[in-house]
């Protein structure tokens, strides 16, 4: 393919440069389109639009490949620690032991959240959805840490990064503990990042907390698998909010809100609710398959389909195995796992799903693990947010370092043409 694209608008021909990525994917650079032609493109849902050049995550939806900074998701999930992956995403390379220790130390030094934030948390109704609370508290953190808003130097950026990596797990644990009626604390300085998260969440006030390696390893894996996924809805939100030079915490808070929706991160909660509904209805998976295919029914098979993966979601493969391991190790037999397996088998053999290339996505099995760990359904997407945090940070940092312009799409106006104003008594 030559590196030019030609476009006819009316009788005029225009030439545009093509850009090639390091994995040979090609984009037509239309940044001069409107200036040259006075027309714009329209692409609802940005299905064909690249918003940036990025060196963080590569995914090939046709081949089912996902890599962070060149490393395969399979290798990282198997061999790495979540904090190493966070460092890799944010700074570009895997850390050596010294760098990793320093990173953990800097995070630990910032592992305090202003006590006054508890008052804000307590003012939410106990029934509030944890994602709404998490987004609000992350935004509120800006007021307690004003130095994170206006970042110009590398040092200020580093400080903001370790601060949010330190404080978000505390808030997540608080949101969870409040929902359970447990006292709030600050975790254990002596522990690793993931071990500290599990202790902060699960420790009972009257009982020594003993780490369970299976639980730590499952959470480590889930966090790694969720850590980045290039320009998805929440990440694009973080980048676009940050492009106005809003600070890191404010941008992450917006990302949390975007992740909340059922079509994005909220799908993990929706999957378990769907599986439970099928079980309560008698377990007839065929009935729900028929509903999913019926265009007059709004029901969708949650955890199936993906905007980019049109083969399989490599994360789903890893999580399916992890779910089996966790249930076996914890001695849990969960009937909804059988329902999930039946649904998967039926969907993979059904022409409706096959023709539309709808495969299980990352969220189809993650909820089963969270449920086995006794994490409430409403907290599933919060766990996703905790995993996605390094990705949001890395993408936000890249956007600022590349000095990207403010995100401001255009539109085609289809409303009323000019109308004379009518006074109230004449309408
Ligand atoms: N169940 C039934 N039909 C589906 C499903 C599903 N889960 N997903 C897509 N379809 C159908 C659509 O109805 C459409 O059919 P049509 O061509 O006959 O009109 C076709 O497949 C294409 O679907 P779109 O919605 O156009 O695909 P899009 O790329 O816009 O959406 C999405 C992707 C949102 C993930 C969709 O597949 C979906 O809603 N899945 C369920 C929710 C889910 O699991 N989300 C998590 C995604 S992973 C993540 O965010 C971490």
């Amino acid at each position: 393919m030559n590196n030019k694209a030609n476009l006819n608008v009316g009788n005029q021909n225009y030439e545009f440069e093509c850009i090639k990525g390091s994995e040979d994917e090609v984009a037509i650079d239309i940044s001069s389109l409107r200036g040259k032609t006075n027309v714009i493109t329209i692409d609802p849902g940005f299905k064909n639009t690249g918003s940036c050049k990025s060196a963080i995550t590569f995914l090939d939806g046709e081949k089912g490949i996902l890599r962070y900074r060149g490393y395969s998701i399979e290798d990282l999930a198997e061999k790495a620690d979540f904090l190493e992956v966070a460092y890799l995403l944010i700074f570009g390379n895997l850390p050596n032991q010294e760098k990793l220790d320093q990173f953990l130390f800097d995070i630990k030094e910032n592992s305090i959240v202003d006590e006054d934030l508890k008052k804000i948390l307590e003012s939410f109704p106990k029934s509030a959805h944890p994602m709404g609370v998490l987004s609000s508290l992350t935004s509120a953190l800006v007021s307690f840490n004003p130095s994170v808003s206006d970042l110009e130097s590398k040092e200020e950026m580093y400080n903001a990064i370790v601060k949010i990596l330190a404080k978000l797990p505390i808030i997540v644990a608080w949101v969870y503990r409040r929902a359970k009626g447990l006292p709030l604390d600050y975790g254990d300085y002596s522990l690793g990042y993931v071990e500290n998260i599990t202790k902060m969440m699960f420790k009972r006030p009257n009982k020594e907390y003993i780490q369970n390696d299976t639980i730590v390893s499952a959470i480590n894996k889930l966090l790694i698998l969720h850590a980045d996924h290039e320009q998805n809805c929440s990440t694009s939100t973080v980048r676009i909010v940050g492009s106005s030079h809003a600070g890191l915490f404010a941008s992450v808070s917006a990302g949390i809100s975007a992740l909340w929706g059922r079509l994005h991160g909220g799908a993990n909660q929706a999957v378990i609710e769907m599986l439970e509904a099928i079980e309560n209805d008698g377990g007839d998976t065929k009935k729900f398959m028929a509903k999913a295919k019926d265009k007059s029914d709004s029901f969708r098979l949650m955890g199936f389909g993906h905007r980019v993966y049109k083969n399989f979601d490599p994360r789903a493969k890893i999580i399916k195995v992890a779910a089996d391991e966790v249930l076996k190790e914890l001695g849990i037999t969960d009937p909804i796992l059988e329902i999930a397996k039946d649904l998967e088998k039926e969907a993979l053999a059904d022409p409706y799903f096959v023709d539309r290339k709808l495969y299980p996505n990352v969220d189809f099995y993650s909820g089963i693990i969270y449920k086995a760990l006794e994490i409430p359904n409403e907290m599933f997407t919060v766990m996703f947010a905790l995993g996605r945090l390094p990705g949001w940070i890395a993408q936000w940092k890249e956007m600022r370092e590349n000095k990207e312009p403010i995100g401001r799409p255009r539109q085609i106006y289809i409303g009323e043409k000019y109308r004379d104003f009518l006074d109230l008594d004449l309408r």
Side-chain angles (χ1 to χ4, degrees), residues 328-348:
K328 201 168 148 211
E329 195 101 8
L330 299 180
I332 297 170
T333 42
D334 193 335
I336 67 165
L337 183 63
E338 290 315 310
I339 292 176
K341 285 182 175 166
D342 286 350
L343 275 180
E344 181 181 352
K345 210 165 129 201
E346 284 164 33
L348 293 180

Side-chain angles (χ1 to χ4, degrees), residues 263-264 267 295 300-304 307 352 356 358 361:
L263 297 188
H264 189 17
K295 291 289 168 199
R300 277 191 168 196
L301 203 55
M302 300 312 289
F304 262 77
R307 168 60 60 82
Y352 174 97
R356 289 171 180 75
L358 302 170
N361 60 49

Side-chain angles (χ1 to χ4, degrees), residues 205-224:
N206 55 352
K207 203 172 167 190
E208 190 193 348
Y209 184 75
I210 299 166
Q211 294 282 352
N212 177 322
D213 289 346
T214 307
I215 294 178
V216 173
S217 150
I219 292 189
N220 187 57
K221 212 168 260 183
L222 281 165
L223 295 176
I224 290 174

Side-chain angles (χ1 to χ4, degrees), residues 289-304:
M289 286 287 291
K291 272 166 76 63
K293 293 188 281 180
D294 180 356
K295 291 289 168 199
S296 63
D297 191 325
S298 63
F299 176 80
R300 277 191 168 196
L301 203 55
M302 300 312 289
F304 262 77

Side-chain angles (χ1 to χ4, degrees), residues 177 182-183 199 201-209:
R177 293 178 75 83
L182 292 166
K199 184 171 177 185
M201 287 179 73
F202 303 127
K203 186 182 178 330
R204 295 233 213 126
N206 55 352
K207 203 172 167 190
E208 190 193 348
Y209 184 75

Side-chain angles (χ1 to χ4, degrees), residues 112 129 155 249 336 416:
I112 289 289
H129 194 287
E155 196 190 344
F249 288 23
I336 67 165
E416 297 285 347

Side-chain angles (χ1 to χ4, degrees), residues 300-333:
R300 277 191 168 196
L301 203 55
M302 300 312 289
F304 262 77
H306 197 276
R307 168 60 60 82
V308 186
Y309 291 121
K310 299 300 172 195
N311 187 326
F312 62 88
D313 181 339
R315 303 167 301 173
K317 276 195 171 177
I318 301 170
I319 287 196
K320 186 180 177 183
V321 175
D324 272 334
E325 281 169 8
V326 169
L327 296 190
K328 201 168 148 211
E329 195 101 8
L330 299 180
I332 297 170
T333 42

Side-chain angles (χ1 to χ4, degrees), residues 110-113 165-175 185-187 196-197 200 386:
N110 283 285
S111 296
I112 289 289
V113 170
L165 282 166
K167 295 177 199 304
L168 201 80
I170 299 173
I171 298 181
V172 164
W174 283 4
V175 171
D185 72 7
Y186 289 93
N196 191 34
I197 290 172
M200 273 197 294
L386 204 49

